[in-house]
Amino acid sequence: MASLAITTSHYKLFPSPRNEHRVVFEYEVFVPHPYALIDLPSFGFKGKYSLFAACRIKDMKMGQLATFEQVDDAIHFEKNFTPD
Protein backbone atom coordinates (compact mmCIF):
# COMPACT_ATOMS: atom_id res chain seq x y z
CA MET A 1 0.00 0.00 0.00
CA ALA A 2 1.34 3.44 -0.89
CA SER A 3 2.32 5.87 1.87
CA LEU A 4 0.02 8.80 2.36
CA ALA A 5 1.23 12.38 2.44
CA ILE A 6 1.51 14.16 5.78
CA THR A 7 0.72 17.87 5.87
CA THR A 8 2.11 20.05 8.67
CA SER A 9 1.92 23.82 9.06
CA HIS A 10 5.22 24.17 7.17
CA TYR A 11 5.55 21.14 4.86
CA LYS A 12 3.79 18.56 2.76
CA LEU A 13 5.72 15.36 3.46
CA PHE A 14 6.05 12.01 1.76
CA PRO A 15 7.68 9.32 3.97
CA SER A 16 10.67 7.42 2.70
CA PRO A 17 9.86 3.71 2.36
CA ARG A 18 13.20 3.02 4.10
CA ASN A 19 12.15 4.80 7.31
CA GLU A 20 12.30 2.62 10.37
CA HIS A 21 10.17 5.23 12.19
CA ARG A 22 7.41 6.96 10.22
CA VAL A 23 7.18 9.82 12.69
CA VAL A 24 7.79 13.54 12.23
CA PHE A 25 10.11 14.17 15.17
CA GLU A 26 10.48 17.51 16.95
CA TYR A 27 13.82 18.57 15.46
CA GLU A 28 13.81 19.17 11.71
CA VAL A 29 16.41 19.99 9.06
CA PHE A 30 15.20 20.91 5.56
CA VAL A 31 17.67 20.36 2.73
CA PRO A 32 16.76 21.89 -0.65
CA HIS A 33 18.16 18.93 -2.58
CA PRO A 34 15.21 16.73 -3.62
CA TYR A 35 17.36 14.17 -5.45
CA ALA A 36 20.31 13.89 -3.06
CA LEU A 37 20.90 10.43 -1.67
CA ILE A 38 20.77 10.71 2.11
CA ASP A 39 21.88 7.65 4.08
CA LEU A 40 20.80 8.60 7.59
CA PRO A 41 22.01 5.35 9.26
CA SER A 42 25.58 6.14 8.19
CA PHE A 43 25.60 9.25 10.42
CA GLY A 44 25.52 7.11 13.58
CA PHE A 45 22.79 9.06 15.39
CA LYS A 46 22.04 8.39 19.05
CA GLY A 47 18.24 8.72 18.80
CA LYS A 48 15.46 7.96 16.34
CA TYR A 49 15.19 9.76 13.01
CA SER A 50 13.14 9.79 9.81
CA LEU A 51 13.43 11.17 6.28
CA PHE A 52 10.74 12.63 4.04
CA ALA A 53 10.50 14.03 0.55
CA ALA A 54 9.18 17.50 1.27
CA CYS A 55 7.52 20.52 -0.27
CA ARG A 56 8.05 23.65 1.85
CA ILE A 57 4.66 25.37 1.80
CA LYS A 58 5.81 29.01 2.19
CA ASP A 59 7.70 29.02 -1.14
CA MET A 60 6.78 25.62 -2.66
CA LYS A 61 10.48 24.64 -2.61
CA MET A 62 11.05 20.91 -3.04
CA GLY A 63 13.64 19.10 -0.95
CA GLN A 64 13.96 16.61 1.85
CA LEU A 65 13.19 16.91 5.53
CA ALA A 66 15.20 14.95 8.06
CA THR A 67 13.58 14.82 11.48
CA PHE A 68 15.23 13.80 14.74
CA GLU A 69 14.23 12.78 18.23
CA GLN A 70 17.32 14.47 19.73
CA VAL A 71 18.56 18.00 19.06
CA ASP A 72 22.20 16.84 19.03
CA ASP A 73 21.45 14.53 16.10
CA ALA A 74 19.85 17.40 14.14
CA ILE A 75 22.91 19.59 14.77
CA HIS A 76 25.26 16.76 13.77
CA PHE A 77 23.32 16.19 10.52
CA GLU A 78 23.19 19.90 9.66
CA LYS A 79 26.97 20.25 10.16
CA ASN A 80 27.96 17.09 8.30
CA PHE A 81 25.49 16.72 5.43
CA THR A 82 26.90 17.56 2.02
CA PRO A 83 24.77 16.96 -1.08
CA ASP A 84 26.15 14.52 -3.60
Side-chain angles (χ1 to χ4, degrees), residues 2-62:
S3 298
L4 300 176
I6 300 167
T7 302
T8 69
S9 58
H10 301 288
Y11 302 100
K12 185 165 187 174
L13 304 171
F14 303 90
S16 168
R18 297 186 318 163
N19 279 345
E20 184 177 333
H21 309 284
R22 292 182 184 233
V23 176
V24 179
F25 293 107
E26 180 177 0
Y27 304 103
E28 305 173 342
V29 178
F30 179 79
V31 293
H33 305 283
Y35 303 109
L37 298 176
I38 301 175
D39 180 23
L40 290 179
S42 70
F43 283 87
F45 299 122
K46 295 175 186 167
K48 297 176 185 174
Y49 51 85
S50 57
L51 183 66
F52 300 88
C55 177
R56 190 167 53 196
I57 294 172
K58 73 178 180 180
D59 59 2
M60 299 306 284
K61 179 76 174 171
M62 296 300 295

Side-chain angles (χ1 to χ4, degrees), residues 27-29 43 45 66-81:
Y27 304 103
E28 305 173 342
V29 178
F43 283 87
F45 299 122
T67 71
F68 305 91
E69 182 179 50
Q70 297 182 11
V71 68
D72 292 342
D73 289 340
I75 293 167
H76 176 72
F77 176 74
E78 200 163 22
K79 285 182 181 177
N80 294 296
F81 171 74

